[in-house]
Amino acid sequence: MKLLNAAGFFALVPTVVLALEPITTSLTIGGGAAVMWQLLSQDSWLKCHFWECCNVKDSLDIPALKMGLKREVFGQHLATHVVLKALSANAKVKWPAKPLVMSFHGWTGTGKSFISKIIAKNLYPLEEIRRRFVHQFDAVLHFPHAEHVNRYKEQLQNWIRGNVSACPRSLFIFSEMDQMPHGLIDSILPYLSHHGEIDGVYYGKAIFLFLNNAGGDMITEVALDYWRQQKGREEIPLKDLQSWISQEVFNNRNSGFWQSKLIQRNVVDYFVPFLPLEYTHVRECVRVELRFQGHHEDEDLITEIALAMADYPSNERLYSSKGCKTVASKVNLNI
């Protein structure tokens, strides 16, 4: 379809030029040259209109990303801080020495997938282009059989090599990492390391996100301990938490990173903690969902749903064990 559109454009170029009369010939020639330059330029907006094109130049809009995270993500001050810091630093480097690698850890429904989608939309705002250059792997869906791990390794290497060859600024998102067959993720170690080019392919502009429930229990217990000491979650030290997560998943057989070379070789740049969501955070999720579905923001209903979802620990009922994951179904059930 893109080629047909481009062919149609070339057919229209003479018409466009004729339509410019009585503009001078020199300007017409200059306009034609500008059109040709746009079509041949690697980062041309016009070329991107007719062909799906990759953002070799960085298109990350950091102020917009910051605003989006602040407006749409609740209760994750540590995660949003790390993500913004990491992407801001990465965007400033024209040719990074290695891909940006972040590993998101926390309970289900705390925002790991949500933030990864915000990053993807910021990097590639157009859905059609996003479908081509943002690659999502679900461990349960794509790698279901541990006995086929060697086949998966070869497929995964080929897939990453091929897609980065097509677009250096590819985004790879691995979800359900805690279900990943042991040893599989180590197969992509060369592409995440400080290698520059491998067989003529440069990987430094790529971004890798790993989404993992492993470490979530430990993060929750740390947050709960601070709460019991009457300390705010804002006082939880990020550096210590990141170190604890790294050790936790490295020694956890069900993390996807058990004894992983990715951790041994320090190629994971950031371990990003997602704190458990409290009642107040779930309220905001319910409010957003009501608004999304076009319903009135009924404060009594918001309170009822949020209170019902705050279920951990059983005595204090401080956190939602499912985060905001089931908010949409709860709203549907109560409307």
Side-chain angles (χ1 to χ4, degrees), residues 106-149:
W107 272 358
T108 184
T110 51
K112 301 185 298 296
S113 295
F114 191 61
I115 287 184
S116 69
K117 290 176 182 177
I118 292 176
I119 294 171
K121 288 179 180 179
N122 187 278
L123 186 61
Y124 291 108
L126 297 178
E127 183 177 355
E128 182 180 355
I129 297 179
R130 191 162 61 245
R131 283 200 302 265
R132 181 171 180 183
F133 300 125
V134 176
H135 313 285
Q136 300 193 10
F137 302 89
D138 184 302
V140 176
L141 178 64
H142 295 106
F143 315 114
H145 305 295
E147 63 270 22
H148 296 157
V149 66

Side-chain angles (χ1 to χ4, degrees), residues 61-169:
D61 186 341
I62 298 300
L65 179 63
K66 182 178 182 179
M67 184 178 298
L69 291 172
K70 183 178 181 180
R71 184 177 61 245
E72 301 177 42
V73 180
F74 308 118
Q76 299 300 350
H77 69 284
L78 292 177
T80 54
H81 169 75
V82 175
V83 167
L84 278 171
K85 178 181 177 181
L87 290 171
S88 297
N90 181 263
K92 292 176 183 177
V93 182
K94 186 175 182 180
W95 299 108
K98 66 179 292 297
L100 173 61
V101 183
M102 292 189 282
S103 189
F104 295 175
H105 296 267
W107 272 358
T108 184
T110 51
K112 301 185 298 296
S113 295
F114 191 61
I115 287 184
S116 69
K117 290 176 182 177
I118 292 176
I119 294 171
K121 288 179 180 179
N122 187 278
L123 186 61
Y124 291 108
L126 297 178
E127 183 177 355
E128 182 180 355
I129 297 179
R130 191 162 61 245
R131 283 200 302 265
R132 181 171 180 183
F133 300 125
V134 176
H135 313 285
Q136 300 193 10
F137 302 89
D138 184 302
V140 176
L141 178 64
H142 295 106
F143 315 114
H145 305 295
E147 63 270 22
H148 296 157
V149 66
N150 289 330
R151 181 196 306 169
Y152 296 151
K153 286 181 180 180
E154 182 178 356
Q155 292 173 341
L156 188 55
Q157 289 174 338
N158 290 337
W159 184 254
I160 290 175
R161 186 186 307 115
N163 281 290
V164 175
S165 298
C167 177
R169 196 49 152 168

